[in-house]
Structure formats: structure tokens, C-alpha cells
Amino acid sequence: MPGLLSSPVCLTVIWFLSWSLRPSCAQILTDEVSGVQYGHLESNVTLACGKSQIRIPVVWHLNHSSVLPWHKVTSDGSLVLMHVDHSAQGIYSCYDNQGLLLHSVKLRLGHPPGLLSVSCQVPNHTYVRCSWVESVATFLPAQYNASFRGSGQEWRPCVVDIVRKHCDVDRPAFWQTIHTLRITATNALGSETTYARFKLHELLKPDPPESVLVNELEGFPKRLIVSWTFPASWPLHDAFPLVFQIRYRPLGSMYWSEIYSEESPVVIFDALAGHLHQVQIRARDEVNAESQWSEWSPLLLARPWEVFTTPYPTEEVPPELFFPINTKPETSTAKSHNPVLEDEGSLGLVILLVLFSVVILITVLSLIYVMWVRQRRRDHVTKQELTSMVKMKSMPI
Ligand SMILES: *[C@@H]1O[C@H](CO)[C@@H](O)[C@H](O)[C@H]1NC(C)=O
Ligand SMILES: *[C@@H]1O[C@H](CO)[C@@H](O)[C@H](O)[C@H]1NC(C)=O
Ligand SMILES: *[C@@H]1O[C@H](CO)[C@@H](O)[C@H](O)[C@H]1NC(C)=O
Ligand SMILES: *[C@@H]1O[C@H](CO)[C@@H](O)[C@H](O)[C@H]1NC(C)=O
């Protein structure tokens, strides 16, 4: 390694690097006000060539190039950039006529903040998270200051996560009907305060139920058992009951059947024997009728228990399939289709498919046979040729 470092190539590279880095180092060292100037996009921006009296004429450079956007230089040496757009950003330097650097400044362009569009999530009674997006693109970094209060109460801080653009309130006064969030966005060009009003009890929306499982019940070809746990963010307390809605349908059907329950597990009594079912569950605060349902849990697939010796379980149709019996009082059955008709349709389709595949199989098999026969003949011929060649070689010349 030391040999490599002292090699001429390496020395040249180091010399070149230090030479090429030198101007920027020099510039930083000689910078009087080395700083950032912010300007409004689509306006005229004036850059002064330092504070002191300037010997005229001065020369302006952008990023060490003499190519400048649309501009004029005033009598005191200031640079006025007209109707700037993003391409005017960069490092501006002014030099006197001997080429001596007088001043340099970085120009950043953008807009002052506008109103924010705010939304709040309330996954339980002790927590509010409000997120926001800017209604105008400012192109500049912003600071946010947020506070929260119930009507007639003191402002309390809403703890800001500046990167994810949200803030959290711990233990809001849930009994107050109306709450206000106040967020002030501030950037280098200005600030704007947004007020947003909410009814927390209407925003209350639990997270979806967790650990959802759907299983068959052995010996019952038309039953499924669904179990779940409360969302982890919901307090396990008698004071905060949840009601759960379970929906299910045979795979491929358009119509859901529904069951409501306060407790896990729940048994589905009218599953379609031998069919895969889709099952989902969601939750809502049971006391507060104005609150929102959670999102649905991910779709789960399950098939009721089957006797595997029964080859066609769909041929015998139990009469209750025509008149679904609500085994639970809360069950609201939205099924209006006739699953048996669908089954006959699909049986015909299956037969067609089987016939079709048999035809294809026969075609492929005969093709393979023809090719095999031809190949064998060819092999036979080559073998004969080979043996005659071997014979010829072994013949003494
Ligand atoms: C920018 O300067 C030009 C030329 O002096 C002038 O016509 C224009 O009105 C100015 N624009 C603004 C927004 O001041
Ligand atoms: C000047 O350099 C900055 C980076 O410092 C770059 O964003 C900008 O586009 C450059 N401007 C021009 C006109 O090359
Ligand atoms: C943020 O708001 C709080 C309370 O309203 C105030 O005391 C604080 O000075 C503000 N901070 C900034 C940076 O505006
Ligand atoms: C309420 O939800 C938040 C966010 O998910 C969670 O951090 C907090 O522990 C929950 N509160 C209770 C009492 O479960």
C-alpha cells in the first residue's frame, strides 16, 4: 500500500483532486456572508454584491459559470433576476474587474406555506393522531407547530413528527364534542396557520381485529368457526366494548352473509358444504353509534369439514340450502342467489374442460408416438451406418 500511495499515478490523482477542490475551498474561505438567500418563484429577485461600496463594474457568476438567467445589473452592482424559475437556483458569486471574489450567496427559490389539509385518526379513546399534507408545493423545508384543544379549554401541544408530517395528542378530553387542531407551518418565506375542527366521537375508528382464524368443525360439513382478538390498540376493558361484524361467502359468489357478535368465537352454521369460503371481520365501538367501523381484516379462506369418501358432495342438495335458516338471531343474510344453479353450471363446465383436455392429451400423445417412431427409424439407420463404418475401419487396408 505505501508503494501504491507514492506511485506517480496516485500522486497525480491527489494533486488533481486538491487542485479541482481548491476553488470551492477558497470561495468558502473568502465568503463574507456565506449564506443562503431565499426568493419567491416567479418574482424578481435582487442579489446584492456584499455590503460594502463596490467598485464598478462587477461580474456575476452562477455556479462558476458566466451564463446567467434573465437578469440586469444595477448601478450599485446588485444582480436583479427577472421572473425566476427553478433553474435560477445555485451559488451566485460577484467578482471585481481584476477577478477578485467579492461576495457569494446561495439562492433557493420556493413559495411561502399555504393552508394544510388535515385529517385525524382516533384508534381508541386516549389517542389522536393528526396528519397533514401541504395544499401548495413550497419546495422549501418547513417547521410545524401544532396544538389541540376541546371547546373552551386550554391549548395543549400536539407532538409533531416533522418527517412524517403528523402530530399526536395523548388523552384528549373525549367528552368534549368539538376539538380544534391549530397548526402553524413556517418556512423561510412566511408562515400560515391552519385551524381544523373535529368531533372525536365521530372519528373514533378502531384498528381491525387481530389474530383472525377460520377453522372447520369436525363432523359438520356446513359449519365454520371464526375466532379473533381485540385490536392491540383497543383497551381490554369492560368500559370499552366492541361489536364485531363477520362476513362470509363461498368463493366466487357476489353476496356476503353477515353475523354480528360481541365475543369471539362465532360459528357459521350455513356454510356451503365442500366449498372454499372467504371470511372477514371488522370492529366498531359498541356504545357510540356515530363512530366508524374499522377496516376489514385481511380476507381468509377456509373450507368446511368434509368426509373424503364422498366423491360428489354437491350432488345431494339439502333442502335448507334453498331456504337459508338464520341460526343466529342477529344474522342478516344477504344471499339472494341460488348456489345450486351455480353448481350445475360449473359441473357442466368441468365436464367440458375434462373432454377438452382428453382431446388435447390424445393429440399430444399421437404426435409424440409419430415422432418417436420416426426417431427410432433414424436411429436404426445411423446405427447401421456406424456399424458398417466400424467394420470398414477394422478392415485391413
Ligand atoms: C420584474 O421586473 C420587470 C422589469 O423591470 C418588470 O416589468 C416586472 O413588473 C417585475 N415583476 C415583478 C413581479 O415585480
Ligand atoms: C447550480 O448548482 C446547483 C447545486 O448547487 C444546482 O441545483 C443548479 O441546478 C445549478 N444551476 C445551474 C444553472 O447549473
Ligand atoms: C409553538 O406554539 C407554542 C404554543 O402555542 C408556543 O409557545 C411556541 O412559541 C410556538 N413555537 C414556535 C416555533 O412557533
Ligand atoms: C391507543 O392507540 C395508540 C396508538 O395505536 C396506542 O399507542 C395506545 O397504547 C392505545 N391506548 C390504549 C389504552 O390501548
Side-chain angles (χ1 to χ4, degrees):
M1 272 325 251
L4 188 66
L5 270 179
S6 56
S7 77
V9 177
C10 189
L11 283 178
T12 317
V13 168
I14 289 172
W15 172 81
F16 179 78
L17 277 179
S18 52
W19 174 81
S20 60
L21 288 175
R22 207 175 44 185
S24 52
C25 297
Q27 180 196 317
I28 288 163
L29 287 179
T30 52
D31 246 3
E32 284 177 34
V33 201
S34 151
V36 183
Q37 181 170 340
Y38 292 90
H40 293 248
L41 279 165
E42 286 127 41
S43 74
N44 297 339
V45 172
T46 303
L47 300 171
C49 182
K51 300 169 282 197
S52 50
Q53 248 113 36
I54 307 294
R55 289 150 289 175
I56 312 279
V58 298
V59 178
W60 281 92
H61 279 183
L62 165 56
N63 291 356
H64 308 298
S65 144
S66 56
V67 183
L68 294 174
W70 184 29
H71 70 281
K72 64 184 182 193
V73 180
T74 61
S75 55
D76 64 352
S78 293
L79 177 70
V80 183
L81 301 166
M82 310 287 190
H83 199 78
V84 285
D85 63 15
H86 288 284
S87 69
Q89 295 189 110
I91 293 164
Y92 286 83
S93 316
C94 64
Y95 302 86
D96 67 9
N97 49 7
Q98 263 105 53
L100 183 71
L101 177 67
L102 300 170
H103 179 71
S104 93
V105 67
K106 183 173 181 181
L107 179 64
R108 284 199 67 177
L109 298 168
H111 294 293
L115 288 175
L116 305 171
S117 95
V118 184
S119 64
C120 296
Q121 294 89 47
V122 186
N124 60 41
H125 293 83
T126 58
Y127 182 83
V128 181
R129 167 164 291 178
C130 295
S131 335
W132 55 87
V133 287
E134 269 134 17
S135 52
V136 292
T138 64
F139 308 105
L140 296 175
Q143 295 289 326
Y144 302 96
N145 195 3
S147 37
F148 194 83
R149 73 169 184 197
S151 33
Q153 288 190 309
E154 290 285 295
W155 287 106
R156 290 174 47 193
C158 185
V159 181
V160 172
D161 180 331
I162 190 167
V163 177
R164 299 193 184 86
K165 299 209 171 103
H166 61 60
C167 72
D168 295 340
V169 184
D170 195 28
R171 312 200 168 275
F174 218 89
W175 59 90
Q176 296 277 341
T177 348
I178 301 212
H179 286 77
T180 308
L181 177 72
R182 176 180 71 182
I183 315 176
T184 304
T186 308
N187 73 13
L189 296 178
S191 77
E192 179 78 67
T193 301
T194 305
Y195 290 86
R197 282 181 181 76
F198 308 100
K199 293 181 172 166
L200 290 189
H201 66 282
E202 286 179 5
L203 290 179
L204 181 63
K205 178 181 177 180
D207 288 327
E210 290 168 19
S211 314
V212 184
L213 286 175
V214 186
N215 285 311
E216 59 175 39
L217 268 176
E218 203 181 328
F220 296 95
K222 296 202 300 159
R223 294 190 188 180
L224 287 170
I225 181 161
V226 188
S227 63
W228 63 90
T229 61
F230 271 47
S233 58
W234 194 265
L236 278 175
H237 193 284
D238 290 344
F240 303 106
L242 283 177
V243 61
F244 297 92
Q245 182 183 10
I246 299 100
R247 67 174 186 183
Y248 58 97
R249 63 182 178 191
L251 188 62
S253 165
M254 280 169 65
Y255 304 99
W256 293 101
S257 303
E258 294 164 357
I259 299 176
Y260 294 86
S261 170
E262 281 143 41
E263 271 168 46
S264 168
V266 147
V267 176
I268 295 171
F269 288 93
D270 60 349
L272 197 56
H275 278 257
L276 264 183
H277 286 68
Q278 294 178 314
V279 183
Q280 280 184 306
I281 174 166
R282 62 179 183 173
R284 201 182 77 176
D285 183 0
E286 198 185 9
V287 182
N288 173 359
E290 287 176 308
S291 65
Q292 300 180 35
W293 281 104
S294 73
E295 298 296 317
W296 287 103
S297 66
L299 265 180
L300 287 180
L301 284 176
R303 195 190 295 275
W305 174 85
E306 280 176 290
V307 189
F308 288 104
T309 49
T310 317
Y312 302 112
T314 47
E315 263 186 1
E316 277 177 44
V317 179
E320 59 265 49
L321 265 181
F322 290 99
F323 308 99
I325 296 163
N326 292 349
T327 32
K328 275 221 157 195
E330 317 97 320
T331 310
S332 79
T333 304
K335 267 188 208 160
S336 64
H337 72 312
N338 191 336
V340 185
L341 282 182
E342 255 185 25
D343 282 348
E344 273 174 12
S346 56
L347 196 67
L349 193 68
V350 166
I351 294 175
L352 255 180
L353 276 177
V354 167
L355 280 179
F356 186 62
S357 9
V358 165
V359 169
I360 292 216
L361 194 69
I362 290 174
T363 319
V364 169
L365 280 179
S366 35
L367 267 178
I368 290 179
Y369 179 71
V370 168
M371 286 171 69
W372 178 72
V373 166
R374 290 181 62 177
Q375 186 67 36
R376 239 178 79 113
R377 270 197 214 136
R378 216 179 289 152
D379 283 353
H380 196 61
V381 171
T382 28
K383 243 183 230 163
Q384 279 183 344
E385 277 175 10
L386 271 177
T387 37
S388 49
M389 270 170 68
V390 170
K391 270 183 203 160
M392 273 161 65
K393 267 194 172 175
S394 53
M395 267 195 281
I397 306 166

